[in-house]
Short mmCIF file of all heavy atoms in Angstrom, two decimals:
data_model
loop_
_atom_site.label_atom_id
_atom_site.label_comp_id
_atom_site.label_asym_id
_atom_site.label_seq_id
_atom_site.Cartn_x
_atom_site.Cartn_y
_atom_site.Cartn_z
N SER A 180 -3.34 -27.34 8.71
CA SER A 180 -3.65 -26.06 8.06
C SER A 180 -3.67 -26.25 6.55
O SER A 180 -3.10 -27.21 6.01
CB SER A 180 -2.60 -25.01 8.44
OG SER A 180 -1.31 -25.40 7.98
N GLN A 181 -4.34 -25.34 5.87
CA GLN A 181 -4.46 -25.39 4.42
C GLN A 181 -4.15 -24.00 3.85
O GLN A 181 -4.58 -23.00 4.41
CB GLN A 181 -5.86 -25.82 4.00
CG GLN A 181 -6.28 -27.19 4.49
CD GLN A 181 -7.70 -27.55 4.11
OE1 GLN A 181 -8.24 -27.05 3.14
NE2 GLN A 181 -8.32 -28.42 4.91
N THR A 182 -3.43 -23.97 2.72
CA THR A 182 -3.06 -22.70 2.09
C THR A 182 -3.49 -22.71 0.63
O THR A 182 -3.27 -23.70 -0.08
CB THR A 182 -1.54 -22.47 2.18
OG1 THR A 182 -1.15 -22.41 3.56
CG2 THR A 182 -1.16 -21.15 1.52
N TYR A 183 -4.09 -21.62 0.21
CA TYR A 183 -4.55 -21.49 -1.17
C TYR A 183 -4.11 -20.14 -1.73
O TYR A 183 -3.89 -19.18 -0.99
CB TYR A 183 -6.08 -21.61 -1.23
CG TYR A 183 -6.59 -22.92 -0.72
CD1 TYR A 183 -7.10 -23.04 0.58
CD2 TYR A 183 -6.53 -24.07 -1.51
CE1 TYR A 183 -7.54 -24.25 1.06
CE2 TYR A 183 -6.96 -25.29 -1.03
CZ TYR A 183 -7.47 -25.38 0.25
OH TYR A 183 -7.90 -26.58 0.72
N THR A 184 -3.99 -20.10 -3.05
CA THR A 184 -3.56 -18.89 -3.75
C THR A 184 -4.71 -18.33 -4.58
O THR A 184 -5.47 -19.09 -5.18
CB THR A 184 -2.37 -19.18 -4.68
OG1 THR A 184 -1.30 -19.71 -3.90
CG2 THR A 184 -1.90 -17.90 -5.37
N ARG A 185 -4.83 -17.02 -4.57
CA ARG A 185 -5.81 -16.34 -5.42
C ARG A 185 -5.10 -15.22 -6.19
O ARG A 185 -4.15 -14.61 -5.69
CB ARG A 185 -6.95 -15.74 -4.58
CG ARG A 185 -7.90 -16.75 -3.97
CD ARG A 185 -8.74 -17.42 -5.04
NE ARG A 185 -9.80 -18.23 -4.46
CZ ARG A 185 -9.68 -19.51 -4.12
NH1 ARG A 185 -8.50 -20.11 -4.28
NH2 ARG A 185 -10.71 -20.19 -3.64
N THR A 186 -5.60 -14.96 -7.40
CA THR A 186 -5.07 -13.89 -8.24
C THR A 186 -6.20 -12.95 -8.61
O THR A 186 -7.25 -13.40 -9.10
CB THR A 186 -4.43 -14.45 -9.52
OG1 THR A 186 -3.35 -15.33 -9.16
CG2 THR A 186 -3.88 -13.32 -10.39
N VAL A 187 -6.00 -11.66 -8.36
CA VAL A 187 -7.01 -10.66 -8.67
C VAL A 187 -6.51 -9.77 -9.80
O VAL A 187 -5.31 -9.54 -9.95
CB VAL A 187 -7.37 -9.80 -7.43
CG1 VAL A 187 -8.17 -10.60 -6.44
CG2 VAL A 187 -6.12 -9.22 -6.79
N THR A 188 -7.45 -9.27 -10.58
CA THR A 188 -7.14 -8.38 -11.71
C THR A 188 -7.75 -7.01 -11.43
O THR A 188 -8.93 -6.91 -11.06
CB THR A 188 -7.72 -8.94 -13.02
OG1 THR A 188 -7.20 -10.25 -13.24
CG2 THR A 188 -7.33 -8.04 -14.20
N ASN A 189 -6.96 -5.97 -11.60
CA ASN A 189 -7.41 -4.61 -11.32
C ASN A 189 -8.27 -4.09 -12.48
O ASN A 189 -7.77 -3.87 -13.59
CB ASN A 189 -6.21 -3.69 -11.11
CG ASN A 189 -6.62 -2.27 -10.81
OD1 ASN A 189 -7.73 -2.02 -10.33
ND2 ASN A 189 -5.74 -1.32 -11.08
N VAL A 190 -9.55 -3.89 -12.24
CA VAL A 190 -10.45 -3.32 -13.25
C VAL A 190 -11.03 -1.99 -12.76
O VAL A 190 -11.98 -1.47 -13.33
CB VAL A 190 -11.59 -4.30 -13.61
CG1 VAL A 190 -11.04 -5.56 -14.27
CG2 VAL A 190 -12.41 -4.66 -12.37
N GLY A 191 -10.45 -1.48 -11.68
CA GLY A 191 -10.89 -0.20 -11.12
C GLY A 191 -9.95 0.91 -11.53
O GLY A 191 -9.58 1.05 -12.70
N GLU A 192 -9.52 1.70 -10.55
CA GLU A 192 -8.59 2.78 -10.83
C GLU A 192 -7.18 2.24 -11.04
O GLU A 192 -6.75 1.33 -10.34
CB GLU A 192 -8.61 3.78 -9.69
CG GLU A 192 -9.97 4.45 -9.49
CD GLU A 192 -10.04 5.25 -8.19
OE1 GLU A 192 -9.61 4.72 -7.14
OE2 GLU A 192 -10.51 6.39 -8.25
N ALA A 193 -6.45 2.83 -12.00
CA ALA A 193 -5.11 2.34 -12.34
C ALA A 193 -4.19 2.37 -11.12
O ALA A 193 -3.58 1.36 -10.76
CB ALA A 193 -4.52 3.16 -13.48
N MET A 194 -4.08 3.53 -10.48
CA MET A 194 -3.26 3.67 -9.27
C MET A 194 -4.15 3.45 -8.05
O MET A 194 -4.96 4.30 -7.70
CB MET A 194 -2.62 5.06 -9.22
CG MET A 194 -1.72 5.37 -10.40
SD MET A 194 -0.19 4.41 -10.38
CE MET A 194 0.59 5.06 -8.91
N SER A 195 -4.03 2.30 -7.44
CA SER A 195 -4.90 2.00 -6.31
C SER A 195 -4.19 1.05 -5.34
O SER A 195 -3.36 0.23 -5.74
CB SER A 195 -6.22 1.38 -6.78
OG SER A 195 -5.98 0.26 -7.61
N THR A 196 -4.54 1.19 -4.07
CA THR A 196 -3.99 0.35 -3.02
C THR A 196 -5.12 -0.32 -2.25
O THR A 196 -6.07 0.35 -1.82
CB THR A 196 -3.13 1.18 -2.05
OG1 THR A 196 -2.04 1.77 -2.76
CG2 THR A 196 -2.57 0.30 -0.93
N TYR A 197 -5.02 -1.62 -2.09
CA TYR A 197 -6.04 -2.39 -1.37
C TYR A 197 -5.43 -3.00 -0.12
O TYR A 197 -4.33 -3.56 -0.16
CB TYR A 197 -6.62 -3.50 -2.25
CG TYR A 197 -7.51 -3.01 -3.36
CD1 TYR A 197 -6.98 -2.53 -4.54
CD2 TYR A 197 -8.90 -3.05 -3.21
CE1 TYR A 197 -7.82 -2.08 -5.57
CE2 TYR A 197 -9.74 -2.61 -4.23
CZ TYR A 197 -9.19 -2.13 -5.40
OH TYR A 197 -10.02 -1.68 -6.41
N ARG A 198 -6.16 -2.89 0.97
CA ARG A 198 -5.75 -3.51 2.23
C ARG A 198 -6.77 -4.56 2.63
O ARG A 198 -7.97 -4.37 2.46
CB ARG A 198 -5.61 -2.45 3.33
CG ARG A 198 -4.42 -1.52 3.12
CD ARG A 198 -4.38 -0.40 4.14
NE ARG A 198 -3.12 0.34 4.08
CZ ARG A 198 -2.84 1.26 3.17
NH1 ARG A 198 -3.75 1.58 2.26
NH2 ARG A 198 -1.66 1.87 3.18
N VAL A 199 -6.28 -5.65 3.18
CA VAL A 199 -7.16 -6.76 3.50
C VAL A 199 -7.81 -6.56 4.86
O VAL A 199 -7.20 -6.05 5.80
CB VAL A 199 -6.40 -8.10 3.45
CG1 VAL A 199 -5.46 -8.26 4.63
CG2 VAL A 199 -7.37 -9.27 3.38
N GLU A 200 -9.07 -6.92 4.93
CA GLU A 200 -9.82 -6.97 6.19
C GLU A 200 -10.36 -8.38 6.34
O GLU A 200 -10.93 -8.93 5.39
CB GLU A 200 -10.96 -5.96 6.17
CG GLU A 200 -11.89 -6.04 7.36
CD GLU A 200 -13.12 -5.18 7.20
OE1 GLU A 200 -13.07 -4.18 6.46
OE2 GLU A 200 -14.16 -5.53 7.81
N ILE A 201 -10.18 -8.97 7.50
CA ILE A 201 -10.56 -10.37 7.69
C ILE A 201 -11.57 -10.49 8.82
O ILE A 201 -11.35 -9.97 9.92
CB ILE A 201 -9.33 -11.25 8.01
CG1 ILE A 201 -8.29 -11.15 6.89
CG2 ILE A 201 -9.74 -12.70 8.24
CD1 ILE A 201 -6.97 -11.80 7.24
N VAL A 202 -12.67 -11.15 8.54
CA VAL A 202 -13.61 -11.57 9.58
C VAL A 202 -13.53 -13.10 9.61
O VAL A 202 -14.13 -13.78 8.77
CB VAL A 202 -15.05 -11.09 9.31
CG1 VAL A 202 -16.00 -11.66 10.34
CG2 VAL A 202 -15.10 -9.57 9.31
N SER A 203 -12.74 -13.62 10.54
CA SER A 203 -12.46 -15.05 10.57
C SER A 203 -13.67 -15.84 11.05
O SER A 203 -14.38 -15.40 11.98
CB SER A 203 -11.27 -15.34 11.49
OG SER A 203 -10.10 -14.73 11.01
N PRO A 204 -13.91 -16.99 10.45
CA PRO A 204 -14.94 -17.87 11.00
C PRO A 204 -14.58 -18.28 12.43
O PRO A 204 -13.40 -18.30 12.80
CB PRO A 204 -14.91 -19.09 10.05
CG PRO A 204 -14.28 -18.58 8.80
CD PRO A 204 -13.30 -17.53 9.24
N ARG A 205 -15.56 -18.57 13.22
CA ARG A 205 -15.32 -18.97 14.61
C ARG A 205 -14.44 -20.20 14.68
O ARG A 205 -14.60 -21.14 13.91
CB ARG A 205 -16.67 -19.24 15.29
CG ARG A 205 -16.61 -19.40 16.79
CD ARG A 205 -18.03 -19.36 17.37
NE ARG A 205 -18.88 -20.37 16.77
CZ ARG A 205 -18.95 -21.62 17.22
NH1 ARG A 205 -18.23 -22.01 18.26
NH2 ARG A 205 -19.75 -22.49 16.63
#
């Protein structure tokens, strides 16, 4: 297995909640 880190910056609404949706490769 492989693990990677990503960092996102909020440029939208100040108070916001994001939930992840995953479509995994076969």
Side-chain angles (χ1 to χ4, degrees):
S180 63
Q181 300 177 25
T182 300
Y183 300 99
T184 302
R185 289 290 189 272
T186 300
V187 289
T188 304
N189 180 24
V190 295
E192 297 170 314
M194 300 290 295
S195 54
T196 299
Y197 288 82
R198 290 175 170 79
V199 73
E200 174 189 334
I201 302 171
V202 175
S203 297
R205 192 167 56 86

